[in-house]
């Protein structure tokens, strides 16, 4: 297995240029004063379709040959990867099929259909989505793009941290929201190349700490679907590629509770006027917890805010 490298991130950056947004890096004097560090927020909640996943999907689909383009792309996802593949396919003029759970957030189902993809629903508790998707892919000759465990997806996700570090210069720490590990492994490739001294941390929901368990065990640990408000990080296991990079390039993995996620979400709303989805708050929540424990005081701390797609009724309920 050949792991993607920083050169692949550079190639991905060239492919997505002019198609993905170069998202802003925001600062907050209030956050800096409250926690005693200098924060740099890479705001992927302002990315196309509202999350970094556009980067990986667009990069992967851009590499399709003529036959693959004609048949199109297929993906299974409960959320942002679905929209990312749907939008990328539309922009590149190819068909897309997205396999989604029946109980996916209404906003995400509507957005995926809105981007022109055909949505196939399945029951999360009784059906095997991977088998279903592979069957459909074979039947229609479509290319399956997984949400994280694919070299082109990882390389695309790595472009966010590349942009961040090119803009800020070296950072002392970089916190990244961690589900299946596409964003964390891609970010780690960029950080190792651009800021070798920077500590790189993945952050998971407390209920779903399979990444932390895997790092400690030295092999991929599988868990049951975790119960957490961070629906973008309800993954049960890291991928082969993502774990290969994470175990080599990531310094540690932290976890945060749902209550900490809500506090971070409230801070983003009140102080930075940003709507950030629960999963997008993982990195900031962990950075705050570390600083509250004295780790990282006075340092330059990078935080990847991974996405902002949350049903507004749900958002209001969580903040109430
Ligand atoms: C998918 C997603 C994550 C987790 O990314 P992985 O590459 O699976 O680790 C984090 N935040 C948001 C908003 C996401 O959509």
């Amino acid at each position: 297995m050949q792991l993607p490298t920083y050169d692949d991130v550079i190639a991905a950056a060239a492919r997505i240029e002019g198609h993905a947004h170069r998202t802003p890096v925001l600062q907050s004097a209030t956050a800096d004063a409250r926690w005693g560090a200098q924060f740099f927020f890479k705001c992927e909640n302002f990315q196309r379709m509202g999350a970094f996943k556009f980067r990986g999907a667009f990069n992967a689909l851009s590499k399709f040959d003529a036959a693959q383009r004609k048949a199109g792309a297929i993906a299974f996802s409960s959320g942002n990867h679905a929209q990312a593949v749907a939008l990328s396919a539309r922009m590149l003029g190819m068909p897309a099929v997205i396999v989604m759970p029946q109980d996916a957030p209404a906003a995400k189902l509507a957005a995926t259909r809105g981007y022109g993809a055909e949505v196939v629903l399945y029951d999360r508790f009784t059906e095997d989505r991977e088998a279903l998707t592979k069957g459909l892919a074979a039947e229609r000759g479509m290319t399956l793009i997984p949400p994280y465990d694919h070299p082109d997806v990882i390389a695309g996700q790595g472009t966010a941290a590349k942009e961040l570090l090119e803009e800020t210069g070296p950072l002392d720490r970089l916190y990244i929201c961690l589900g299946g590990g596409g964003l964390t492994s891609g970010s780690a490739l960029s950080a190792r190349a651009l800021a070798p001294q920077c500590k790189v941390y993945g952050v998971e929901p407390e209920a779903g700490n399979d990444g932390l368990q895997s790092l400690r065990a030295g092999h991929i640990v599988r868990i049951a679907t975790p119960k957490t408000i961070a629906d973008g990080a309800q993954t049960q296991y890291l991928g082969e590629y993502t774990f290969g990079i994470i175990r080599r390039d990531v310094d540690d993995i932290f976890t945060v509770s749902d209550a900490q996620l809500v506090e971070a979400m409230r801070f983003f709303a009140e102080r930075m006027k940003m709507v950030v989805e629960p999963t997008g708050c993982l990195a900031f929540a962990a950075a705050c917890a570390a600083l509250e424990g004295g780790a990282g005081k006075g340092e330059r701390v990078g935080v990847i805010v991974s996405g902002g797609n949350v049903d507004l009724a749900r958002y209001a309920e969580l903040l109430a």
Side-chain angles (χ1 to χ4, degrees):
M1 192 178 59
Q2 185 86 29
L3 296 177
T5 67
Y6 182 61
D7 283 341
D8 297 309
V9 180
I10 294 173
R15 278 185 212 105
I16 69 169
E17 189 172 3
H19 302 287
H21 296 314
R22 193 177 177 102
T23 53
V25 176
L26 298 186
Q27 295 192 256
S28 163
T30 307
D32 292 359
R34 188 179 297 178
W35 284 283
Q38 192 179 6
F39 285 104
F40 297 91
F41 299 95
K42 178 65 171 168
C43 294
E44 288 296 297
N45 51 314
F46 297 132
Q47 185 49 265
R48 268 182 197 268
M49 54 60 55
F52 71 91
K53 287 217 173 60
F54 178 75
R55 297 172 181 272
F58 192 89
N59 183 51
L61 268 60
S62 298
K63 290 183 71 179
F64 281 15
D65 63 24
Q68 286 177 303
R69 280 179 192 245
K70 187 152 184 287
I74 182 166
F76 54 83
S77 164
S78 55
N80 288 332
H81 180 62
Q83 294 172 62
V85 170
L87 176 60
S88 300
R90 192 179 69 181
M91 289 168 68
L92 292 162
M94 61 176 97
V97 168
I98 312 293
V99 178
M100 297 181 84
Q102 280 160 353
D103 58 348
K108 293 188 177 181
L109 280 174
T112 306
R113 291 199 176 101
Y115 291 129
E118 177 188 342
V119 173
V120 175
L121 296 173
Y122 76 100
D123 183 336
R124 227 155 36 94
F125 300 98
T126 61
E127 286 181 277
D128 178 350
R129 68 173 185 178
E130 247 181 281
L132 180 71
T133 310
K134 281 180 183 155
L136 273 171
E139 207 175 281
R140 303 195 192 182
M142 301 180 107
T143 304
L144 175 61
I145 300 298
Y148 51 85
D149 205 25
H150 188 296
D152 299 336
V153 172
I154 293 168
Q157 317 307 31
T159 59
K162 176 178 181 288
E163 290 173 16
L164 169 66
L165 287 159
E166 282 171 352
E167 193 165 329
T168 61
L171 296 171
D172 298 304
R173 291 164 178 253
L174 178 61
Y175 290 89
I176 309 146
C177 308
L178 170 59
L183 182 64
T184 300
S185 56
S187 301
L189 293 177
S190 292
R192 286 292 160 258
L194 297 174
Q197 306 306 317
C198 179
K199 294 233 165 41
V200 178
Y201 300 122
V203 185
E204 294 180 304
E206 213 167 69
N209 70 342
D210 61 288
L212 175 62
Q213 291 188 46
S214 302
L215 200 62
R216 296 284 184 270
H219 60 84
I220 298 170
V221 173
R222 296 178 175 236
I223 60 167
T225 300
K227 265 192 123 95
T228 167
I229 59 170
D231 59 323
Q234 278 182 313
T235 38
Q236 295 169 265
Y237 46 87
L238 298 177
E240 302 284 341
Y241 290 99
T242 60
F243 180 63
I245 296 169
I246 287 171
R247 70 186 305 186
R248 183 191 67 198
D249 290 342
V250 168
D251 290 284
D252 209 349
I253 293 176
F254 297 113
T255 65
V256 294
S257 67
D258 281 2
Q260 288 173 294
L261 291 178
V262 171
E263 277 321 297
M265 213 164 76
R266 187 184 308 285
F267 183 89
F268 283 134
E270 274 181 359
R271 296 295 175 163
M272 297 181 72
K273 319 302 165 195
M274 297 202 298
V275 175
V276 182
E277 63 184 279
T279 315
C281 296
L282 285 165
F284 183 48
C288 294
L291 283 157
E292 282 159 15
K297 287 279 183 203
E299 292 186 358
R300 290 159 55 82
V301 177
V303 168
I304 301 196
V305 180
S306 56
N309 291 328
V310 52
D311 195 84
L312 276 190
R314 173 87 179 125
Y315 185 69
E317 194 184 301
L318 287 170
L319 288 180

